[in-house]
Amino acid sequence: MEQAAITGPVGIAAGVFAPGHIGELTRIMPFEMVDEVPAETRALDRRVRLMPARVTVYLLLAGALFAELGYRQVFDRLCAGLAGLSPVRPSGSALRQARQRLGAAPMKALFDLVRGPVATTAVQVRWRGLLAVAVDGTLLPVPDTPENLTVFAKQRCNSGAGGYPQVRLAALVACGNRSVIGAVFGPATTGELQYAGRLAGDLRAGMLLLGDRNFAAADLLNRLAATGAHLLVRCKSGRKLPAVARLRDGSFLARLGALTVRVIDAEITIATSRGVRTGHYRLLTTLTDPTTHPAGELVRLYHERWEIETAYAELKSTILGGRVLRARTPAGVEQEVWALLTAYQALRTAMTDATDSVPGTDPDRAGFTVALAAARDQLVLAAGVIADTVIDLVGAIDRNVLTQLLPKRRVRTKDRIVKRAISKYNARGPAIDRATYEATISINMLATDP
């Protein structure tokens, strides 16, 4: 028997109402988009189900927004705002079987539809016409089950193996509004450089890729530069790079395989009320003209690489709250990570839409926790998805973001410290200064003889 037509926020099958929406974020991933994904990935089930494919997709996305809840509790929140409808509450087994039937492919396909640099009129997202993007990796813990251990290993640490197997995630993020351009993930036993190489297909001419010292490998830089994107990557200060030409600003050109790079040495001094600290940075860039791309500006721009670290903090600390993922099998882990990335991208799209509605507003001022809380509230209310309701183009998420804009960024510094030690004994000892200080930064370009 073919599945009955699915219209609006509920699927109607054999007299059963199954809710399918993610509140106000449904405008970013509407019913038509979600319906196409299972069909294109051959995951469409033609039989009458309590949990149709569309409903399962939205359940997974809602689960990413309510990471602290089990899927039955997430289902209850999908139903809460559907006044007058009384959906049958599926059992935990039914929800698990629905997720298994759907598989990971539709969630990846949905992420591919929404990913990319979110369109914006904000001038802050570009530097001299180039879109600054950052690449980096992070680790996500998954449940310690026999199935997961067949694919995902535990990391080694000082006291032996870690507590949970881990997934290594590598992403390409637009620095201006932290939208996700591309992502790959897999076992933590595979290194960041290999995953970064797989992201090369997401780079384009007109982008400027920022990376830390781990990504300064010559083979990888040649591969990334072949995409047409420009590079700005830090390398070790003591790395020997024979000069092929000296430039008038003190930088010099060097060769890395077939690639010509400009080497910029700078001494960066940070002054706070506690004193002065100086460090040496060496940057490699494919922007070789010191007139059109001044070295001092590139050194300051490199700080934008930290935007990807903030994006990972939003994923792991704000959304997940430091929790382990739910899925107890590798296939479930893949499905859950794609759902997490898709929900994150939807939030970032809504936040950029909000700041774009007020010309001149820097996307940096949009508060992620504000947007997440508003999205959760609107999901429970089923806002904007019930038939006959008025579609609010400037929705509650946008209004919350705009009424609670963050202050303009200040130059601040903070020591990198262990905030949560594995052992309580490691946290003892001399007093640790956890304050953040306003800072003044000065840059002195060095003309080091290579």
Side-chain angles (χ1 to χ4, degrees):
M1 182 184 297
E2 289 196 358
Q3 181 176 299
I6 300 177
T7 58
V10 294
I12 305 172
V16 175
F17 293 96
H21 68 89
I22 47 171
E24 197 174 276
L25 292 179
T26 308
R27 67 180 176 84
I28 295 171
M29 287 174 286
F31 308 127
E32 298 79 9
M33 176 188 290
V34 172
D35 286 343
E36 284 296 320
V37 169
E40 290 181 0
T41 56
R42 303 181 183 275
L44 185 63
D45 191 342
R46 293 293 181 183
R47 288 178 290 175
V48 174
R49 295 282 190 183
L50 177 62
M51 289 290 295
R54 177 211 284 180
V55 178
T56 307
V57 170
Y58 281 125
L59 176 74
L60 288 161
L61 295 173
L65 298 179
F66 290 97
E68 71 279 11
L69 302 180
Y71 280 114
R72 292 195 81 192
Q73 294 170 299
V74 174
F75 185 89
D76 291 342
R77 279 150 181 77
L78 288 175
C79 302
L82 300 178
L85 301 177
S86 300
V88 175
R89 190 178 192 233
S91 65
S93 176
L95 294 177
R96 182 180 66 254
Q97 291 176 41
R99 300 195 306 274
Q100 290 173 346
R101 283 195 304 272
L102 184 73
M107 301 310 300
K108 182 183 185 304
L110 185 59
F111 173 72
D112 285 337
L113 288 175
V114 301
R115 71 184 176 97
V118 176
T120 176
T121 58
V123 297
Q124 293 90 342
V125 302
R126 289 184 175 272
W127 177 79
R128 292 182 175 258
L130 296 172
L131 178 68
V133 301
V135 63
D136 206 354
T138 192
L139 294 170
L140 297 171
V142 301
D144 188 2
T145 64
E147 294 87 349
N148 281 340
L149 286 170
T150 62
V151 176
F152 307 113
K154 297 181 180 181
Q155 292 287 88
R156 301 291 299 176
C157 58
N158 292 337
S159 56
Y164 292 96
Q166 292 181 311
V167 171
R168 191 182 301 280
L169 167 68
L172 192 65
V173 169
C175 296
N177 53 23
R178 293 179 221 141
S179 53
V180 183
I181 298 171
V184 293
F185 57 89
T189 49
T190 301
E192 281 185 344
L193 298 191
Q194 289 176 266
Y195 287 120
R198 290 166 55 186
L199 290 169
D202 296 316
L203 291 172
R204 299 286 185 273
M207 291 181 176
L208 175 58
L209 178 66
L210 313 182
D212 66 19
R213 286 178 292 190
N214 191 44
F215 298 94
D219 290 344
L220 178 63
L221 294 182
N222 275 267
R223 181 176 176 182
L224 297 177
T227 64
H230 283 290
L231 310 178
L232 179 62
V233 179
R234 188 181 178 189
C235 76
K236 293 181 179 179
S237 299
R239 184 170 179 175
K240 295 188 181 299
L241 296 165
V244 296
R246 171 71 66 183
L247 303 178
R248 62 179 176 274
D249 66 347
S251 62
F252 62 92
L253 301 182
R255 298 284 291 177
L256 290 176
L259 184 65
T260 298
V261 295
R262 178 177 164 207
V263 183
I264 299 172
D265 281 307
E267 191 177 68
I268 302 177
T269 301
I270 299 178
T272 69
S273 58
R274 294 198 65 213
V276 177
R277 188 170 60 215
T278 299
H280 179 203
Y281 268 54
R282 169 169 281 190
L283 301 179
L284 308 178
T285 181
T286 53
L287 298 169
T288 57
D289 189 340
T291 301
T292 56
H293 302 99
E297 290 188 28
L298 286 169
V299 173
R300 290 186 179 275
L301 177 68
Y302 180 75
H303 184 70
E304 292 294 310
R305 190 200 70 79
W306 279 96
E307 294 296 335
I308 193 170
E309 304 284 3
T310 304
Y312 284 147
E314 291 165 347
L315 277 172
K316 297 167 65 175
S317 297
T318 307
I319 294 182
L320 293 176
R323 296 176 182 84
V324 178
L325 297 179
R326 296 183 182 91
R328 302 179 67 82
T329 65
V333 168
E334 183 182 0
Q335 183 186 66
E336 187 176 356
V337 174
W338 288 127
L340 177 64
L341 291 169
T342 303
Y344 177 84
Q345 180 73 352
L347 282 168
R348 274 287 155 200
T349 301
M351 293 165 67
T352 303
D353 289 346
T355 53
D356 258 24
S357 67
V358 180
T361 304
D362 190 338
D364 273 347
R365 298 187 62 195
F368 187 79
T369 55
V370 172
L372 177 61
R376 287 171 168 171
D377 291 343
Q378 298 309 299
L379 185 147
V380 173
L381 295 172
V385 298
I386 301 175
D388 300 325
T389 58
V390 177
I391 297 176
D392 188 358
L393 295 180
V394 181
I397 297 175
D398 292 12
R399 281 192 292 272
N400 275 270
V401 168
L402 291 174
T403 56
Q404 301 180 66
L405 287 174
L406 301 175
K408 291 183 178 180
R409 288 277 184 92
R410 293 172 294 165
V411 179
R412 297 180 296 171
T413 185
K414 179 180 179 66
D415 290 336
R416 298 187 72 177
I417 58 175
V418 176
K419 294 183 179 179
R420 185 172 59 185
I422 295 175
S423 166
K424 64 180 180 180
Y425 299 105
N426 292 339
R428 296 179 180 176
I432 298 174
D433 185 0
R434 300 179 184 274
T436 298
Y437 296 91
E438 291 193 30
T440 301
I441 297 178
S442 59
I443 299 174
N444 177 32
M445 306 307 303
L446 301 177
T448 306
D449 186 355

